[in-house]
Amino acid sequence: MKQTLSQSWKFLTSKLHEPLPLNHRESQKLLNLLNESFKRNFDREFPPGLADTDHSPNDHFQSLLKSPLLSLNRTRRSSTLDRKIDIKQDAAQVRDLVFAVKQPVEYFRQRVATGAANMASAKLALDNQMKKALASASVDAKDSIRASEMGAVMTNWLWSSGRCEDLKFFKDRDFVARLMPFLVVEGQYKPIWEWLQRSQRIAAPSRNAGSLFHKDVGYFIKKLVQSEALYGQGLQSAIQMFLTSLRSVAQQFPAPQQYTLSELNYPAGVYLIRLLVAQSTSSRVDESVIHSFDRSLESWVHRPLVACYRSLIQLLRPQQRANVQAAKLISAIETCETQVTRKERLILIRVGLKAVDFLLAHDALKEAAQVMKTLQLRFGAELGIGNKPADGTRDDEDAALRSLNLLLAT
């Protein structure tokens, strides 16, 4: 009775519920039974002696397995699918690039929203927006840049992505060079000064002036004054920004950290001097601003070179007599020539050539020739023109001018 009830229960249960799958032991046991059954039946139908005949069972099975009906060209199918996938991906990339070119701001906003924004897409958007601004015939480039609000979009992304914490984006100089004009035109100075102050706090504990980070901060400051001079309020405003940055850095790095101040501010300061000389725009800059810039030289220029740069700046001031300032420059070059490194000798040559270029532009030919003679005498090896000073002949003057034009072009 118990057995009957048990069997009935199992029968009814099997109808209500699917049987459970076999465990590993039961599966292995079933597989062994199937293998043995197959071998017995195979040996019965095809005795072992038939294996040596021309029509063995092995050949029969091989012919079946090699039949084209049973074969599948997986490589061909896979390559076809890969090509279709590649075509779809290429089409998507083309649409993405077209969108980035036509609507750079919306393109980058979409990338930020989807979490796909990175430095590469940021530089692409900045590049395309600048090209749109410069190519517009109906709208001024600055107005187009300001209306795009690309600088604000980039600033928000830098903050939200945490990149403003360690300021590692300073190291991407291509990004900094593309971003700065937008920030300046849009008047986004607040984040600029916050980043600079933070960069000084990050760099201050190590006091390691030779680190790459200091050079990156120096490049950032240079791009700030460069963008202000070219896209902002002009050269005077750029000099004032440089002086503000200089005071900010000086508060963080005391007087003994002279090399650090030079590392951070020298690229921007030299750029401003070159701009003053190249454009001869010192008359547009207030005398008080030039005077403050002149006084700042000691804090960011290596001491032996201060007199040379100061003479060059004084040469630009309209109330100064060219012959007096040229004489001061020559004296400064002769004094510090033996006190500087090889790299600083090249700086002295550039200072002298800038002075000559300025004097020639203002028809001060005699003073220009005097500076040229000094350069040829003191730096003949570096200039590759020998150290014999010109004697005033026409041939010597022509040779000196040819050398000057060649060097100024480099």
Side-chain angles (χ1 to χ4, degrees):
M1 179 66 69
K2 290 183 179 179
Q3 185 178 4
T4 305
L5 291 175
S6 175
Q7 291 174 351
S8 300
W9 176 259
K10 289 181 180 179
F11 176 74
L12 293 174
T13 305
S14 65
K15 287 187 174 182
L16 293 173
H17 303 287
E18 292 292 334
L20 295 174
L22 300 175
N23 57 33
H24 177 72
R25 183 179 179 182
E26 292 173 337
S27 299
Q28 189 64 42
K29 184 178 180 180
L30 178 61
L31 180 62
N32 291 337
L33 291 173
L34 290 174
N35 285 335
E36 291 176 1
S37 176
F38 175 79
K39 288 181 180 180
R40 284 195 303 269
N41 286 283
F42 185 82
D43 291 340
R44 184 178 63 251
E45 297 294 332
F46 302 99
L50 293 178
D52 298 330
T53 64
D54 294 336
H55 303 286
S56 67
N58 289 335
D59 293 338
H60 177 65
F61 278 107
Q62 289 296 330
S63 66
L64 289 175
L65 294 174
K66 292 180 179 178
S67 172
L69 296 175
L70 299 177
S71 64
L72 178 64
N73 193 344
R74 296 182 180 275
T75 304
R76 181 178 180 182
R77 184 178 179 184
S78 176
S79 61
T80 303
L81 290 174
D82 290 343
R83 281 199 300 273
K84 290 182 179 179
I85 293 174
D86 291 341
I87 291 173
K88 290 182 179 179
Q89 290 177 345
D90 291 343
Q93 290 177 356
V94 170
R95 288 194 299 270
D96 200 36
L97 288 175
V98 170
F99 183 40
V101 171
K102 291 185 175 181
Q103 302 181 55
V105 179
E106 292 305 318
Y107 158 79
F108 190 72
R109 281 176 173 160
Q110 189 178 94
R111 302 281 291 189
V112 173
T114 58
N118 53 28
M119 298 303 288
S121 59
K123 287 185 282 190
L124 177 63
L126 288 167
D127 267 342
N128 289 331
Q129 188 61 43
M130 180 60 76
K131 289 176 182 177
K132 283 188 64 177
L134 296 176
S136 177
S138 58
V139 182
D140 181 71
K142 291 183 180 180
D143 292 338
S144 179
I145 292 173
R146 191 178 297 108
S148 71
E149 298 183 347
M150 178 65 87
V153 171
M154 289 291 168
T155 301
N156 291 335
W157 170 64
L158 290 171
W159 283 111
S160 63
S161 63
R163 286 175 168 82
C164 294
E165 294 298 321
D166 55 15
L167 298 177
K168 287 186 178 180
F169 70 90
F170 272 37
K171 293 182 178 295
D172 193 332
R173 297 191 175 188
D174 290 337
F175 174 73
V176 170
R178 289 166 170 79
L179 173 65
M180 195 60 73
F182 287 92
L183 297 179
V184 167
V185 173
E186 295 176 29
Q188 297 281 339
Y189 295 111
K190 182 179 179 180
I192 291 176
W193 294 117
E194 288 178 353
W195 294 337
L196 280 176
Q197 291 173 2
R198 182 167 183 79
S199 72
Q200 292 154 28
R201 291 196 298 269
I202 293 175
S206 65
R207 295 289 193 269
N208 183 9
S211 67
L212 288 176
F213 188 71
H214 282 83
K215 293 181 181 179
D216 296 329
V217 177
Y219 183 82
F220 186 90
I221 297 173
K222 177 184 176 181
K223 284 301 170 183
L224 169 60
V225 300
Q226 185 181 48
S227 298
E228 183 65 23
L230 300 179
Y231 302 99
Q233 300 301 315
L235 181 56
Q236 177 165 311
S237 178
I239 295 175
Q240 290 171 330
M241 282 193 174
F242 172 78
L243 295 174
T244 301
S245 171
L246 194 63
R247 288 191 293 270
S248 176
V249 174
Q251 291 174 359
Q252 191 68 25
F253 295 95
Q257 301 295 328
Q258 176 69 28
Y259 184 77
T260 300
L261 293 175
S262 176
E263 190 82 7
L264 293 174
N265 297 282
Y266 184 79
V270 171
Y271 169 79
L272 291 173
I273 292 177
R274 290 176 179 174
L275 199 61
L276 280 167
V277 175
Q279 298 183 357
S280 301
T281 54
S282 60
S283 58
R284 305 177 191 174
V285 180
D286 292 345
E287 182 67 21
S288 60
V289 175
I290 294 182
H291 180 67
S292 298
F293 184 61
D294 188 357
R295 291 181 57 188
S296 74
L297 291 172
E298 286 86 352
S299 61
W300 57 273
V301 177
H302 187 206
R303 193 163 301 280
L305 299 174
V306 170
C308 296
Y309 278 118
R310 175 157 290 149
S311 299
L312 183 59
I313 293 174
Q314 292 295 328
L315 192 64
L316 305 176
R317 301 168 81 169
Q319 70 272 22
Q320 301 293 333
R321 296 176 58 185
N323 60 338
V324 175
Q325 295 308 318
K328 289 183 178 181
L329 177 62
I330 291 172
S331 175
I333 291 175
E334 291 175 343
T335 300
C336 67
E337 178 232 342
T338 58
Q339 305 175 25
V340 295
T341 63
R342 183 176 180 276
K343 182 178 180 180
E344 290 171 337
R345 285 177 63 86
L346 298 178
I347 295 175
L348 281 176
I349 295 173
R350 294 192 187 99
V351 170
L353 291 176
K354 289 294 182 184
V356 172
D357 189 28
F358 181 83
L359 291 168
L360 289 175
H362 290 77
D363 296 326
L365 303 182
K366 181 179 179 181
E367 290 75 11
Q370 291 173 347
V371 177
M372 282 290 291
K373 287 182 180 180
T374 302
L375 293 176
Q376 188 174 357
L377 178 64
R378 300 285 178 172
F379 307 101
E382 288 88 343
L383 293 170
I385 54 177
N387 58 2
K388 180 180 178 181
D391 58 6
T393 64
R394 183 67 180 174
D395 291 341
D396 289 332
E397 290 178 2
D398 290 343
L401 288 174
R402 283 196 300 271
S403 301
L404 172 64
N405 290 331
L406 179 63
L407 289 165
L408 289 176
T410 58

